[in-house]
Structure formats: structure tokens, C-alpha cells
Amino acid sequence: MNKLDIEEIVRKEIVDTVLKTQEFIVAGNWKMNKTKQEVKSFLKDIKDYDFGSKNTVIVTPPSPYLYLFEEELRYSSVLYGVQNVFPKESGAYTGEVSIDMAKDFGCKYAIVGHSERRSLFGECNEFASKKVRILLQNNITPILCIGENLEQRKQGDYKQFLVTQIVEGLARIGEEDIKKVIIAYEPIWAIGTGETASPDQVEELHVFLRSFLVERYGEHIGKDVPLLYGGSVKPANVKQLALAQSVSGFLIGGASLDAQSFIKINDILNGN
Ligand code: 13P
């Protein structure tokens, strides 16, 4: 056997080991998509599927369909959440969804500060931090999204921007609670564009963010905060991205809409 063949066998073994042992978080963000029939059909396809017990599988549908998730996923290992919440208990907030409503339907997760909410609805870090706080008080895990746009990336000062999004998004959160937050790095230039950040870019950034979290919040907290990557993740690229250091999982838009592609991604992240 030549040296290249041996290297290939060793590399494959390392990849298999990572995929079969590392615990990933695999979260689908449906955004504003699907009809009731489409939701039912997706749930039928995934309901009895064996996702295994290693990874945490989450779907965040549009809120009007949460009742279907509650009905269909009661005995499933698939968890679900909301794409947004309003940081008040109740009241005159037309069009908003409260945390109690999310809890009523069994939501365990809530996305906070997605770049689409920031750019289309003017949401800022301070508003995100209010949501993070009230979610934690209610035992719902916030998935705090951060990410730079193309211009910021080109200008080169984007790392400071990301750090500010984290620090301000986690403002006034007790140290032990910081561990309960999931951070999702989603470069805006890679969202819905088909242009994924390369595994090297993802690794570089995730290692940077991990180091920052350890430096800022101490090792026992910083090393445990899950760091997801999001932006054009699909079955064809998820394996390479999963091998990037400090990547704890994925926040997936388009490729989570189709049950078979969502299942395929999960299969890959189980080493199947
Ligand atoms: P895409 O996977 O469609 O690029 O979306 C990513 C995203 O915004 C998930 O929150």
C-alpha cells in the first residue's frame, strides 16, 4: 500500500470517529415557509425516523404550526422551538408571540437576533439581550445569532463586530446562565446565497470565538457554550464543516425544509 492510500485510510478513520462520537446540535430554521399540508407531510416523514440519541435535533417552524409539532412530536426525540419571541409577558404587542405561548406548545428553544430580524425589523443587540434574559428565566434555550455582512468581512474589522454582538447580546446574564445559551455564527453573506463559508473560514472563526468566550467568561463557561455554524449548510457540505474545530452543530435554513435532506444531514452527523 502506498503512503497516500494509508493517509486516506487514516483520514477516513478520523472522520468516522468524529462523526460517530461528537455530539452535534442540528437545528432547522424554517423561516416563513410551508403550508399546513406541507408541515404535516414533513412531520409524517420525520416522526418515526430514528435520529439516534447522540445529537440534539431541533426544528423551528413558523409559530402558527407549533400545535402540529406538539401533536405529532410528543413521543419523538425531535425538539422544537420558535423563531422569535417578544420579551414581555403579555399585553398590547400586536403580532408578537410571548414566551408563555411558546411554552404552552412545548417549545424548548428560541432563535434570537437572527440577521433577518436585525436587518428587516431593526432589532439590536440590546433587544436581543432582553429576549435572552427572559428566555433563560423561563427555561427556554436561546439560540443567539451573530454574523457579519459582506462589507464588514471585506473591511476586515468584523471580528470585533461579532464580539460586540456576543457581549451585548449576553449583557446582564449570570455566568452560570451563559452556559445555557447557544451561539450561532451565521455570516450574512452565506445565508440563502448558496455560498458557504469554507471549512477553513468556519474553523478559523469558530476557534477565534471559542478563544474569546474562554478569555471573557473563563474556561469552565467559555469552553461549554455551543457554537453553531449557519449559512447554506446542506448534505453536500455538512461533513467537511462538521470536522472544523470548535463547531458544535448547525443552524440550517433551506436544507431543513425538505424532510429527506434534513434526515440526510442528520445521518451524516451520526456517521452513517
Ligand atoms: P440557509 O441555510 O438557507 O442559508 O439559512 C441559514 C439561516 O439563516 C439559518 O438560520
Side-chain angles (χ1 to χ4, degrees):
M1 212 182 287
N2 70 33
K3 193 164 167 272
L4 279 180
D5 286 342
I6 296 170
E7 272 174 20
E8 181 54 28
I9 290 169
V10 172
R11 203 190 64 80
K12 194 174 170 311
E13 208 175 297
I14 295 169
V15 172
D16 281 352
T17 309
V18 170
L19 296 176
K20 284 204 187 304
T21 57
Q22 192 175 325
E23 293 173 18
F24 291 104
I25 295 169
V26 194
N29 173 11
W30 281 3
K31 309 191 180 184
M32 198 178 72
N33 288 296
K34 288 198 187 291
T35 62
K36 184 166 73 176
Q37 272 323 311
E38 288 166 350
V39 176
K40 284 186 174 173
S41 143
F42 180 99
L43 290 171
K44 191 161 157 276
D45 288 345
I46 65 152
K47 196 170 136 176
D48 298 319
Y49 192 77
D50 181 8
F51 286 93
S53 57
K54 179 175 76 71
N55 298 333
T56 305
V57 183
I58 306 162
V59 179
T60 61
S63 297
Y65 301 132
L66 285 170
Y67 77 100
L68 290 171
F69 276 66
E70 189 188 26
E71 270 170 28
E72 297 297 327
L73 299 184
R74 197 165 308 154
Y75 304 108
S76 158
S77 61
V78 178
L79 302 166
Y80 52 91
V82 273
Q83 297 171 16
N84 183 34
V85 281
F86 195 73
K88 291 278 181 195
E89 268 173 33
S90 61
Y93 305 104
T94 302
E96 294 297 320
V97 170
S98 77
I99 288 167
D100 277 351
M101 292 169 194
K103 282 207 305 196
D104 247 356
F105 288 100
C107 291
K108 298 276 186 277
Y109 296 86
I111 298 177
V112 175
H114 191 280
S115 60
E116 285 146 21
R117 296 226 52 98
R118 292 176 190 261
S119 64
L120 300 171
F121 305 99
E123 297 193 0
C124 61
N125 291 335
E126 195 197 339
F127 196 44
S129 81
K130 285 188 179 150
K131 296 182 188 188
V132 170
R133 278 201 299 281
I134 195 166
L135 283 163
L136 289 170
Q137 283 158 13
N138 283 278
N139 294 320
I140 296 184
T141 303
I143 304 177
L144 174 66
C145 299
I146 60 166
E148 82 285 2
N149 62 29
L150 192 55
E151 214 177 300
Q152 288 165 320
R153 166 135 312 229
K154 281 184 179 155
Q155 279 169 2
D157 57 354
Y158 64 99
K159 285 186 182 164
Q160 187 49 47
F161 174 78
L162 297 173
V163 160
T164 305
Q165 284 190 315
I166 294 181
V167 172
E168 293 186 0
L170 298 181
R172 292 193 294 286
I173 309 247
E175 287 204 338
E176 286 307 311
D177 271 353
I178 286 178
K179 272 198 220 175
K180 298 178 191 155
V181 178
I182 297 173
I183 294 177
Y185 168 61
E186 301 203 299
I188 295 170
W189 47 273
I191 294 180
T193 57
E195 188 177 334
T196 328
S198 71
D200 284 349
Q201 283 174 319
V202 172
E203 177 160 304
E204 202 241 24
L205 212 283
H206 279 243
V207 168
F208 164 77
L209 292 175
R210 175 68 66 218
S211 312
F212 166 74
L213 289 170
V214 168
E215 189 188 316
R216 170 102 193 179
Y217 303 109
E219 192 183 348
H220 75 295
I221 293 168
K223 75 174 180 19
D224 288 341
V225 176
L227 275 176
L228 311 188
Y229 168 75
S232 299
V233 175
K234 46 186 183 269
N237 60 20
V238 73
K239 190 194 268 193
Q240 284 311 314
L241 294 167
L243 298 174
Q245 217 183 308
S246 284
V247 169
S248 327
F250 300 94
L251 185 53
I252 307 156
S256 73
L257 289 168
D258 174 64
Q260 294 320 315
S261 118
F262 191 59
I263 285 173
K264 179 89 190 133
I265 288 173
N266 277 283
D267 279 351
I268 293 169
L269 294 174
N270 273 317
N272 298 330

